[in-house]
Amino acid sequence: MSSLHLDSPSPPPSAQSLLAFFPILSRQWSYISHFKVAILQNARNMLKKPDATEKATAEALCSIVLLEDTSPRQVFTEYLLAKTNTIQQLCHPGQQGGSIKAHVCGVVQLIVSTVRQMHAVFYSPEAGSFKEQACDQLLTTLHSVSGDGAASVYSLLEPELRNRPFAKHIPSSIAEFCPSLKTLANPVSQEHLQASCQQWITTCVETIHRGVGELLGYVSTIKGLVSIRDAVWDMLAQDEAGTEWGEVCQHILHREVQVWEEFLRPILLNRSQVIIESQCSITAELSLQLVTNTLQELGQKNSTERTLMSEHDVAGYVWTEMSSDMPSRSSWFHNKTGEEMGGLAMKAKAFTPRVQSLCKKMDNKLESLLEDVSQYTSVTRHQQDISAGGDSSTDSPPFDKFADNVHLEKYLQNGCASCVTKLLECVSAELKSAREVLLNKTAVGISDSSSTIDKALFLARLCFGLVEICPNLQLCMMGKQLKDGAQDSARVLHKQGSWRGVSKMQGTMPPLDENSPWGKLRSQLFATADIGHRLWAEHTSGWLVDQFSSALRDSSPAALLMSATNWEEMEIQEETEAGKSVQSKIRLPAQASWYVQSMLFLLCREVNRVGGHALSRSIIHEVVQQTCAGVLTAYEALLQDSATLPQARALQLVFDLRYITNMLSARGPDSQAYRAQADRVMRLLEKIETHIDPFDLDVFTPHLSKALDRLTQRCSVMLGVTTSPDRHLAAGRPPGSTGQQEQHNVLPLPPPIPRFSLLPINTRTDFSRPRQSIQVPVPKVQVLPSLSSSVSRDVEESGRLPRAASPSSLYSRIGAFSTGWLSNIGQGNK
């Protein structure tokens, strides 16, 4: 009863008498006693609502001040705690429904609205400043209900009580009641407001980084992060249409709060990095698993799987026709690469089906990742102007959406580099193991180590394939450098496919920088591939030299019979001391020993088996030079062990040695090594020639050289893979130039042409007339013309298509084939 406000004369009646007169009072009090608690609870709940307006917030705070008799500074602290609890609740999706994007947007909206409410409710502007905006609404509301000129409670409720029958019976004490403050309501000082707001911002940053960071853990794609970024951008762009955000922050914090930069950008960047690294790690694990499985299958004997057979015999795969060899019809009219070029493009580079499959799977993974990242980084010119504030028709954007492109490209480069590095570590370990296996082999023969060699070559082809047929790896690694050369490359790739995108960008591809991330990674891949190829070159040359040395030192009768070759008998004229001419017959070797031919044939077959047409010339040169050096060592050992040699054996050795050096001796990048090898050959020849009679040697040498040139020319096509690409070892001769009728004419070859080294020349031979020396036609035009331009020129000059003379033999038909076009090509490449 002490809490009741009674309008009665003094002295007031006692509580017992009132309860006796009005027994309903005790029951009414039980109903209204919790009004204060309910009002305070509703006021505090209003503070926790993210969408509460500034007026509702000021009224709720005013209720707390009046009911609990607190100061504005105390309710300001309570207000900040309520907003902190609300943010913590929004960061836990298990307690509420909705998407992660909605939770993040709710957090951002709460931060922005809280800062604006603090400015509108608690900030007290100085006299004469910032009067155009509503500020300090808490004190304004308190003064409107508790000040000297405040309206009574009845006047506030009069619109609702006017037509009620009990309104005229309300006592004046109630109708004129006006709440009052026991303590003076002083405004919150600007220093305290700034310090408290800054502390609250710092707390919210830590809470959001922890809570929203956990929420983003459920986002597994960059595209999901892009949707969150764009939603936040749109929300902030709409929010800044009202009061200037910068001025509000300056008043309460003396600095501008960068909502995106401080609260969300670090955790979105961190999540982007985690997603990219995770995808690259998955790609690396998949690639390593495929490589391991292939190596295990290559180690199994008697494997009949078609794709594995191509790893054992690349030549068989290259020369096997397939329906997928020819490119698609549209590929003839557009520049395309990869699968659209057909199987011939892959066979030309000796990429076996297993290598193609592994590279394609890895490329598809990287393509998906690149398309995902491109959702974040791709930007049109209009979007870039709006995001950067360059469009004068729009307001300043809340933040630059594409400022993180450089970071994402860096994450993508690092992730792909880490992926390929893991693969290279596995490849290097396997190559090291293969080298140890080959060094520990006691048996001699290529068949005993075929599986080890096949593994090494597969790994080498794989390293080349990652550069050649994985275009998305290059796109991921080049990043900004590639975009400078081809605008919006990732968008082109996303719309038109990886192979088409790469082919379209090739025309504007920037020059490769060896110090760039892609240049360094490319060099590592090529270096690792060279290790595998050199392992094969060392093993092949060693095996061939061992077989050659055994056959050379074998002097058993059976070996002599097996290595016996054809010796030609020829007549020579000699002049006696009396001046008479005497005819005599001599016999000279016309063929190389069979073990020499076998060694060269096995070398060429092995080079072709592993896809020698796609190997770098340095690898071919290395295996040839190592084989040649080993052969010379074998000859030196033979001469050291043999004190005397029969003259016939010495002649055959001279012929064999000169033939081997003709076929295997080629100029390489090291001119000193070439000269040293030439000097070594000359010393060996001089030692062997000491076992031949000097007079006979003078007589035999011209005829021996002709036979050697003839044999070299005949075998230069079949064994051409071992010859030098920069010059012919034996220049072509027209038929009949050797002074005798050949049983089989050899096609005459032109002087050395870099591109077409074995090109037959046109002689237009007419067998009804004596043969003349062949002259290589010199074209009138010095610039390399195209086939179409050459045909057009011939048609314009003669009025009809060029036609060769009527050929009378197969040789004339082949010679007539190159009537001018091929000669022009040869001259154009000189």
Side-chain angles (χ1 to χ4, degrees):
M1 296 299 295
S2 60
S3 300
L4 291 176
H5 183 77
L6 300 176
D7 187 10
S8 60
S10 180
S14 63
Q16 290 77 8
S17 60
L18 286 176
L19 290 177
F21 296 149
F22 303 99
I24 198 174
L25 288 177
S26 61
R27 190 174 300 174
Q28 289 180 339
W29 178 247
S30 64
Y31 287 132
I32 66 174
S33 61
H34 65 280
F35 276 10
K36 178 180 179 181
V37 177
I39 294 173
L40 290 174
Q41 184 178 359
N42 289 335
R44 289 187 169 93
N45 290 337
M46 180 62 67
L47 298 181
K48 295 181 180 180
K49 287 185 177 181
D51 55 348
T53 62
E54 297 171 357
K55 181 179 180 181
T57 301
E59 292 176 351
L61 291 171
C62 183
S63 301
I64 296 174
V65 170
L66 293 174
L67 292 176
E68 293 190 342
D69 193 24
T70 57
S71 64
R73 183 167 180 172
Q74 290 174 334
V75 295
F76 175 57
T77 303
E78 185 175 356
Y79 171 80
L80 294 180
L81 290 177
K83 293 300 183 181
T84 303
N85 293 333
T86 304
I87 291 177
Q88 292 176 352
Q89 292 177 3
L90 288 175
C91 292
H92 292 82
Q95 299 178 5
Q96 306 178 36
S99 63
I100 296 176
K101 179 171 68 175
H103 281 278
V104 175
C105 291
V107 170
V108 174
Q109 183 64 41
L110 183 59
I111 294 293
V112 175
S113 62
T114 301
V115 173
R116 291 190 180 277
Q117 287 178 7
M118 286 189 292
H119 177 266
V121 175
F122 297 101
Y123 175 71
S124 299
E126 298 178 358
S129 64
F130 204 68
K131 292 299 183 180
E132 70 276 4
Q133 300 295 340
C135 299
D136 203 8
Q137 294 186 17
L138 176 59
L139 294 181
T140 303
T141 304
L142 286 173
H143 291 159
S144 65
V145 298
S146 64
D148 295 336
S152 63
V153 175
Y154 182 80
S155 63
L156 297 176
L157 301 176
E158 185 178 2
E160 299 179 5
L161 302 176
R162 182 179 302 169
N163 299 325
R164 301 297 178 93
F166 61 84
K168 60 182 179 180
H169 301 291
I170 296 177
S172 60
S173 61
I174 296 177
E176 297 175 358
F177 173 76
C178 182
S180 61
L181 294 174
K182 296 180 181 180
T183 59
L184 183 62
N186 295 320
V188 180
S189 64
Q190 293 188 6
E191 292 77 9
H192 179 72
L193 182 66
Q194 177 187 359
S196 300
C197 289
Q198 183 59 49
Q199 184 180 1
W200 181 80
I201 291 290
T202 304
T203 303
C204 290
V205 168
E206 296 175 357
T207 303
I208 292 175
H209 283 184
R210 182 174 59 255
V212 178
E214 294 178 358
L215 289 179
L216 295 180
Y218 297 97
V219 180
S220 58
T221 61
I222 302 295
K223 185 177 181 180
L225 299 179
V226 172
S227 64
I228 295 175
R229 179 200 65 181
D230 293 344
V232 172
W233 193 91
D234 294 338
M235 186 184 63
L236 293 179
Q238 295 176 0
D239 179 80
E240 293 189 359
T243 305
E244 290 294 336
W245 174 256
E247 295 182 9
V248 171
C249 295
Q250 286 292 337
H251 289 157
I252 63 175
L253 289 169
H254 298 283
R255 70 177 184 88
E256 184 175 356
V257 178
Q258 302 291 340
V259 179
W260 170 257
E261 296 288 340
E262 298 182 24
F263 292 92
L264 295 181
R265 183 185 181 189
I267 54 179
L268 259 71
L269 272 179
N270 182 65
R271 183 57 188 167
S272 301
Q273 183 178 7
V274 171
I275 291 175
I276 293 174
E277 290 178 353
S278 175
Q279 293 297 324
C280 291
S281 179
I282 293 174
T283 303
E285 292 177 1
L286 174 63
S287 302
L288 289 175
Q289 184 64 36
L290 293 175
V291 170
T292 302
N293 293 340
T294 303
L295 293 178
Q296 291 177 354
E297 294 174 359
L298 287 174
Q300 299 175 359
K301 296 183 178 180
N302 302 324
S303 177
T304 58
E305 187 177 351
R306 186 174 182 180
T307 57
L308 286 179
M309 292 176 64
S310 62
E311 298 295 338
H312 297 293
D313 185 12
V314 179
Y317 159 70
V318 169
W319 293 105
T320 300
E321 293 186 3
M322 299 180 184
S323 59
S324 60
D325 284 348
M326 298 303 295
S328 61
R329 183 179 180 85
S330 60
S331 298
W332 294 100
F333 307 100
H334 303 281
N335 293 327
K336 297 183 180 181
T337 58
E339 292 180 342
E340 296 183 0
M341 289 300 295
L344 285 178
M346 300 294 101
K347 291 181 178 180
K349 296 183 179 181
F351 291 139
T352 56
R354 276 301 177 96
V355 173
Q356 296 178 41
S357 175
L358 196 151
C359 291
K360 186 59 180 176
K361 291 179 180 179
M362 183 174 180
D363 190 69
N364 288 339
K365 286 285 187 180
L366 295 177
E367 181 180 8
S368 300
L369 177 59
L370 186 61
E371 290 178 355
D372 193 21
V373 174
S374 67
Q375 300 290 330
Y376 201 108
T377 58
S378 296
V379 52
T380 62
R381 176 61 61 183
H382 179 66
Q383 291 174 336
Q384 188 175 10
D385 291 340
I386 294 177
S387 179
D391 192 353
S392 58
S393 63
T394 61
D395 297 330
S396 177
F399 60 89
D400 186 3
K401 293 195 293 185
F402 307 102
D404 299 329
N405 289 6
V406 177
H407 298 286
L408 263 71
E409 290 172 358
K410 191 66 176 179
Y411 297 155
L412 190 59
Q413 286 181 359
N414 295 338
C416 291
S418 176
C419 172
V420 178
T421 300
K422 291 180 182 178
L423 190 59
L424 284 177
E425 290 176 356
C426 174
V427 171
S428 300
E430 291 292 339
L431 291 177
K432 183 179 180 181
S433 176
R435 180 179 295 276
E436 294 175 355
V437 170
L438 294 176
L439 290 177
N440 295 332
K441 282 286 184 180
T442 56
V444 177
I446 195 69
S447 59
D448 297 331
S449 307
S450 59
S451 61
T452 304
I453 292 298
D454 291 338
K455 292 179 182 179
L457 292 173
F458 164 75
L459 296 174
R461 284 190 289 268
L462 175 62
C463 292
F464 271 118
L466 293 178
V467 178
E468 298 289 340
I469 56 178
C470 283
N472 289 288
L473 176 61
Q474 183 177 0
L475 289 176
C476 293
M477 292 301 300
M478 294 192 72
K480 183 65 176 176
Q481 181 183 1
L482 183 62
K483 288 184 179 180
D484 292 339
Q487 291 292 333
D488 207 10
S489 61
R491 180 63 62 185
V492 173
L493 181 67
H494 175 66
K495 288 184 177 180
Q496 302 182 3
S498 61
W499 305 103
R500 288 185 63 184
V502 173
S503 63
K504 284 196 171 186
M505 288 184 292
Q506 284 177 349
T508 55
M509 189 73 69
L512 179 62
D513 183 9
E514 294 296 336
N515 295 324
S516 64
W518 170 241
K520 294 178 180 178
L521 188 63
R522 183 172 177 267
S523 300
Q524 292 178 6
L525 289 169
F526 283 158
T528 306
D530 286 344
I531 293 175
H533 286 147
R534 285 191 170 87
L535 189 63
W536 162 80
E538 293 174 2
H539 180 72
T540 300
S541 60
W543 166 68
L544 292 174
V545 168
D546 290 341
Q547 281 194 341
F548 178 84
S549 300
S550 300
L552 181 65
R553 298 172 66 88
D554 191 356
S555 59
S556 62
L560 294 177
L561 289 176
M562 290 181 63
S563 61
T565 58
N566 179 36
W567 284 49
E568 289 186 349
E569 183 179 287
M570 58 187 66
E571 294 183 356
I572 61 172
Q573 290 185 353
E574 298 178 332
E575 186 175 354
T576 62
E577 295 180 358
K580 296 181 179 180
S581 296
V582 178
Q583 289 187 351
S584 59
K585 294 182 178 181
I586 60 174
R587 298 179 61 85
L588 293 175
Q591 281 184 316
S593 300
W594 288 116
Y595 55 84
V596 174
Q597 291 285 68
S598 298
M599 179 196 67
L600 295 176
F601 175 75
L602 289 176
L603 174 60
C604 293
R605 189 179 68 175
E606 181 63 17
V607 172
N608 291 324
R609 183 188 72 86
V610 302
H613 64 280
L615 294 179
S616 63
R617 195 63 202 182
S618 61
I619 299 298
I620 300 297
H621 177 77
E622 184 172 340
V623 69
V624 169
Q625 289 299 97
Q626 290 179 359
T627 303
C628 183
V631 167
L632 296 181
T633 302
Y635 275 110
E636 291 172 348
L638 175 66
L639 294 178
Q640 187 175 1
D641 297 340
S642 301
T644 58
L645 290 174
Q647 181 167 314
R649 179 75 187 282
L651 284 173
Q652 186 66 55
L653 291 178
V654 169
F655 189 89
D656 291 346
L657 182 57
R658 292 180 61 182
Y659 174 68
I660 290 174
T661 54
N662 277 353
M663 299 305 299
L664 298 184
S665 179
R667 290 186 182 272
D670 189 357
S671 58
Q672 293 183 354
Y674 174 76
R675 289 194 296 268
Q677 180 174 312
D679 295 340
R680 188 178 179 187
V681 171
M682 292 301 300
R683 290 193 298 269
L684 275 175
L685 289 174
E686 291 175 357
K687 290 182 180 180
I688 298 175
E689 289 172 354
T690 57
H691 300 277
I692 304 174
D693 183 81
F695 175 78
D696 292 341
L697 182 61
D698 293 339
V699 176
F700 295 160
T701 297
H703 303 282
L704 200 65
S705 299
K706 291 180 181 179
L708 180 65
D709 291 344
R710 207 163 47 241
L711 180 64
T712 302
Q713 197 174 36
R714 286 172 178 171
C715 299
S716 60
V717 174
M718 183 181 67
L719 305 177
V721 70
T722 63
T723 59
S724 175
D726 56 354
R727 65 186 181 91
H728 276 299
L729 300 177
R733 290 185 180 85
S737 62
T738 56
Q740 58 181 352
Q741 182 65 33
E742 295 287 346
Q743 184 179 1
H744 302 287
N745 291 336
V746 179
L747 286 178
L749 301 177
I753 298 175
R755 199 168 187 82
F756 303 98
S757 57
L758 299 179
L759 188 67
I761 62 176
N762 175 30
T763 58
R764 298 183 181 270
T765 305
D766 188 354
F767 287 95
S768 63
R769 294 178 297 177
R771 294 180 180 177
Q772 301 176 357
S773 60
I774 297 175
Q775 300 292 333
V776 179
V778 179
K780 297 179 181 180
V781 183
Q782 296 298 327
V783 182
L784 176 63
S786 61
L787 290 179
S788 60
S789 62
S790 300
V791 174
S792 301
R793 185 175 63 253
D794 292 340
V795 172
E796 291 175 359
E797 292 177 357
S798 60
R800 54 191 175 89
L801 293 175
R803 183 174 58 185
S806 179
S808 58
S809 66
L810 176 63
Y811 175 76
S812 298
R813 291 177 185 272
I814 298 176
F817 175 70
S818 58
T819 57
W821 298 342
L822 300 179
S823 298
N824 289 339
I825 292 175
Q827 293 293 330
N829 284 278
K830 285 186 177 181

